[in-house]
Amino acid sequence: MSLTIHWTDHLTGIMRRAADPPRLLVACDFDGTLAPIVPTPAEAALLPGMEEVLRSLSTAPGVHLAFVSGRPLEDLKKRVPIAAAGFIGSHGLEMQGHVLDGVPGAAAAWRGRSPFIADAIRRRTEQLPGVFVEEKPLSVAVHYRHACSADAAAVQALLQDTVNGAREFRLQEGHMVTELLPAIGCDKGTALCALADRLGVPRSAVICCGDDLTDETMFTGLPNALSIHIGPGPTAAACRADSPADLLQLLQHVDAARRKNLRKGSCGS
Ligand SMILES: [Mg+2]
C-alpha cells in the first residue's frame, strides 16, 4: 500500500510551490498521465481538455513545459502539439526544445541497430499470440498486454537472456511492456535533471508527473521536486493523482497559481 497522499490533501503546499519560484519547470509523461491508457500505443491521445491547459501553462509567466516519454521523439511531438515546450523521448535518449537538442553520442550509435534487434525478437516470439514487437529509433519495446501470463513470462525470460548475454543492453520494465535499451546510464530522471540544470531552474522548482515504473527515475532523481504519481501502486512520488482527469485539475490549479502571481506582478518571465 502506498503512503503517498492525494494531491488535494496537499493543495495549499502545491499552490505555494507552483506560485513562488521565479521560474517553474512542469514535466509530464504522456501515456497514462496526459493520455488515458488504451489497448494499443497507436490509439493514445491527449485527454479532452488537456491540450487547453497545457497551452495555457506554456504561456503562463515563468513556466517551462517538458514532455518526457518512452515514445520516440517524433511520435511524442505529434501527440502533444505544444510548440513552446521541451520534448524528451525514448526514455531520455532523445531531446528537443528549450536548450537541449540531440541524442547522446553513445546512443546515436544505436540508430541503425533497432531493426535487426526487433527482427530477431520477432522471430523468437511470432508463435506467441498477443505479443507485439515495436521498433523504435533507439530501442525495441515488446508489448504483452494482450498475451496470456505464460507467454508474457516467456517474453520476459527471452529478453532477460538477451541482456545476460550482452552488457550493452539494459531492460526497462513498464505496464505490460519490456523495453530493450542501450545501457548508457540515461533515463527520464537523468534527462530531466539535465534539462532543469540547462534552464537554470532549481530542482525544487520542478513539478514532475508520471504513472509508470519508468517515471520513478524522475521521482528519485529529483527528490526535491514536487512529484506526482498517477494511479494506484507503490511510488517514490510525494503525491498522487487518481487518473489523467484528476491530473488535469491539478494542472489547472498550477496554471491559476502562476497567473494569479502575474496579476500581483511578483513572477519572473
Ligand atoms: Mg506513462
Side-chain angles (χ1 to χ4, degrees), residues 75-121:
D75 180 273
L76 177 63
K77 283 167 57 185
K78 278 185 211 148
R79 289 170 199 276
V80 189
I82 309 289
F87 290 85
I88 296 172
S90 296
H91 300 287
L93 294 172
E94 299 180 288
M95 302 177 188
Q96 193 175 94
H98 291 323
V99 287
L100 287 180
D101 274 308
V103 169
W110 274 63
R111 279 216 180 273
R113 297 186 60 187
S114 292
F116 300 101
I117 297 167
D119 279 349
I121 296 173

Side-chain angles (χ1 to χ4, degrees), residues 88 91-93 95 100 170 184-197 203 217-218 221-222:
I88 296 172
H91 300 287
L93 294 172
M95 302 177 188
L100 287 180
R170 75 176 177 90
I184 59 167
C186 187
D187 55 36
K188 288 182 174 182
T190 60
L192 184 56
C193 285
L195 178 58
D197 292 350
R203 295 178 190 181
T217 59
M218 295 195 288
L222 292 89

Side-chain angles (χ1 to χ4, degrees), residues 129-151:
V131 173
F132 167 59
V133 180
E134 181 186 11
E135 181 188 314
K136 298 184 177 184
L138 297 165
S139 64
V140 176
V142 186
H143 300 263
Y144 38 86
R145 185 178 300 277
H146 302 295
C148 68
S149 56
D151 288 350

Side-chain angles (χ1 to χ4, degrees), residues 139-197:
S139 64
V140 176
V142 186
H143 300 263
Y144 38 86
R145 185 178 300 277
H146 302 295
C148 68
S149 56
D151 288 350
V155 167
Q156 288 174 307
L158 165 66
L159 293 174
Q160 192 60 58
D161 277 352
T162 304
V163 170
N164 290 345
R167 289 186 178 175
E168 60 188 328
F169 301 125
R170 75 176 177 90
L171 293 183
Q172 175 76 65
E173 298 291 339
H175 284 319
M176 307 307 283
V177 59
T178 300
E179 194 153 350
L180 197 70
L181 296 153
I184 59 167
C186 187
D187 55 36
K188 288 182 174 182
T190 60
L192 184 56
C193 285
L195 178 58
D197 292 350

Side-chain angles (χ1 to χ4, degrees), residues 17 21-26 201-207 224-226:
R17 291 194 60 171
R23 293 196 295 151
L24 182 72
L25 172 58
V26 180
V201 174
R203 295 178 190 181
S204 59
V206 175
I207 298 177
N224 296 325
L226 172 60

